Amino acid sequence: MTSRHLFAALVAGLLVVPLVPGLVYPIFVMKVMAYGLFACAFNLLLGFTGLVSFAHAAFLGTAGYVTGALMIRLGAHPLGVPVSFAAGVAAAALVGFAIGGLAIRRRGIYFAMITLALSQIVYFLAVQFRWTGGEDGLQGIPRGTLLGFVDLSSDTAMYYVALALFVAGFLFIHRVVHSPFGQILQAVRDNEARAVSLGYDASRFQLLAFVLSAAVAGYAGALKALVFGLVSLNDVSLHTSTEVVLMTLLGGVGTLVGPLVGAALVVGLQNYLATIGDLVTVVIGLIFILCVSFFRRGVVGEWLHWRQRRAARTAPPSPRSSPVAEAA
């Protein structure tokens, strides 16, 4: 079963969630979808470009704030939802271009630390600006009516719109990874000096990947703002930036479906273990230690590796390497 089959099975299961209300709460599933896209955005940078960023919460939160602020003003307009959503994604991409343009000149730990510092500046601005609500954040963001026909105040309607956005976002990432551009990114990741010797401008490709990753993270932030009607300082905090790293590592770096699994694990643990308070972070930490110790490729990564090894063992020997062929 390939990643495509896994994703198709996942979507088929998600389609029936509102039809079985006792199985799982649709709001929880929408949260998983939003954070799943967020983790996929980070994986696009880490797994396929090799860059570690601690600024992705800035992109998530920026898009959420812009989308929420515009929805408060344009929520009653038929085009309020698409305009606000697109503006949030564009704002995240612009912040990504600004941060990436400064950080991409460095490599390794220096790159990561620059993204961390610039992300903290975004956090400071979110506290200071009036339109962000400061420490209170933006509350009571209306969902509006999509194109004047679909009332998103209904959880069922919002769920299927969120599912459509989730599928579109994942397919976009899949297309990027499997495009010639994605192959160049992986070549730069594996051997930057060789890619440069072949005539590729490594910094330019890495910056474009950073902006795309920021845009997809903003896509997830805009979706989250619409679903919950709330944007808080936690969305732009360092905690969220480190949390997405955990999601990606748990699911499997460099796999397409892995970040979705990692996001489901982390969000699920936070939701169902909320009664134990701060101890939930200890539980997640222990799971992370176990994963790093015994599942270094992540849950999905280890499963794919096991399938490859099994296929290699069960594959019949090629005629050229068989004893009969050698004797002939």
Side-chain angles (χ1 to χ4, degrees):
M1 182 180 290
T2 63
S3 296
R4 291 183 180 181
H5 295 133
L6 284 173
F7 185 71
L10 174 63
V11 173
L14 292 175
L15 283 171
V16 302
V17 166
L19 306 178
V20 190
L23 181 64
V24 63
Y25 195 41
I27 296 293
F28 167 74
V29 179
M30 285 189 279
K31 183 177 181 180
V32 173
M33 288 191 287
Y35 276 101
L37 285 175
F38 184 39
C40 286
F42 180 80
N43 183 55
L44 177 62
L45 191 66
L46 175 61
F48 299 98
T49 311
L51 299 176
V52 180
S53 167
F54 288 106
H56 270 60
F59 313 139
L60 179 85
T62 296
Y65 277 120
V66 172
T67 300
L70 288 177
M71 282 300 299
I72 291 173
R73 293 163 176 79
L74 304 175
H77 195 279
L79 296 177
V81 174
V83 169
S84 301
F85 198 95
V89 175
L94 286 174
V95 174
F97 179 78
I99 293 178
L102 293 173
I104 209 71
R105 303 174 185 178
R106 297 291 181 266
R107 294 291 184 268
I109 189 65
Y110 301 103
F111 174 88
M113 290 299 100
I114 291 174
T115 60
L116 172 60
L118 295 175
S119 176
Q120 290 302 100
I121 292 176
V122 174
Y123 179 89
F124 172 78
L125 294 176
V127 175
Q128 297 299 317
F129 287 153
R130 289 186 177 181
W131 65 272
T132 63
E135 295 183 356
D136 296 327
L138 291 179
Q139 304 180 31
I141 300 171
R143 289 181 177 175
T145 303
L146 181 61
L147 301 177
F149 297 102
V150 183
D151 185 7
L152 298 182
S153 61
S154 166
D155 285 344
T156 301
M158 184 71 247
Y159 178 86
Y160 283 111
V161 170
L163 179 58
L165 292 171
F166 168 73
V167 172
F170 182 85
L171 292 179
F172 172 78
I173 294 175
H174 182 275
R175 183 70 188 94
V176 169
V177 170
H178 291 89
S179 67
F181 171 74
Q183 299 302 312
I184 294 172
L185 289 181
Q186 295 176 58
V188 172
R189 176 200 63 190
D190 295 337
N191 195 327
E192 182 175 340
R194 186 174 183 180
V196 171
S197 70
L198 293 174
Y200 296 110
D201 187 343
S203 296
R204 184 167 66 89
F205 281 101
Q206 289 173 333
L207 176 58
L208 183 54
F210 193 93
V211 174
L212 286 175
S213 179
V216 177
Y219 187 92
L223 175 60
K224 180 177 177 293
L226 281 178
V227 170
F228 292 98
L230 170 70
V231 183
S232 66
L233 286 176
N234 183 64
D235 294 330
V236 291
S237 68
L238 176 61
H239 173 74
T240 301
S241 287
T242 56
E243 201 170 66
V244 73
V245 178
L246 175 62
M247 293 175 184
T248 307
L249 292 177
L250 283 178
V253 178
T255 64
L256 287 173
V257 182
L260 301 180
V261 175
L265 287 173
V266 173
V267 175
L269 288 171
Q270 291 175 342
N271 182 74
Y272 292 107
L273 298 181
T275 54
I276 65 176
D278 293 337
L279 287 177
V280 67
T281 58
V282 178
V283 174
I284 294 175
L286 291 174
I287 292 175
F288 177 68
I289 293 173
L290 291 174
C291 181
V292 172
S293 301
F294 301 102
F295 301 94
R296 297 186 179 182
R297 298 178 181 87
V299 175
V300 175
E302 288 290 348
W303 180 74
L304 292 175
H305 180 68
W306 174 80
R307 284 186 67 252
Q308 291 174 355
R309 292 179 58 187
R310 181 183 178 186
R313 288 197 301 265
T314 57
S318 61
R320 183 174 298 177
S321 61
S322 65
V324 175
E326 291 178 0

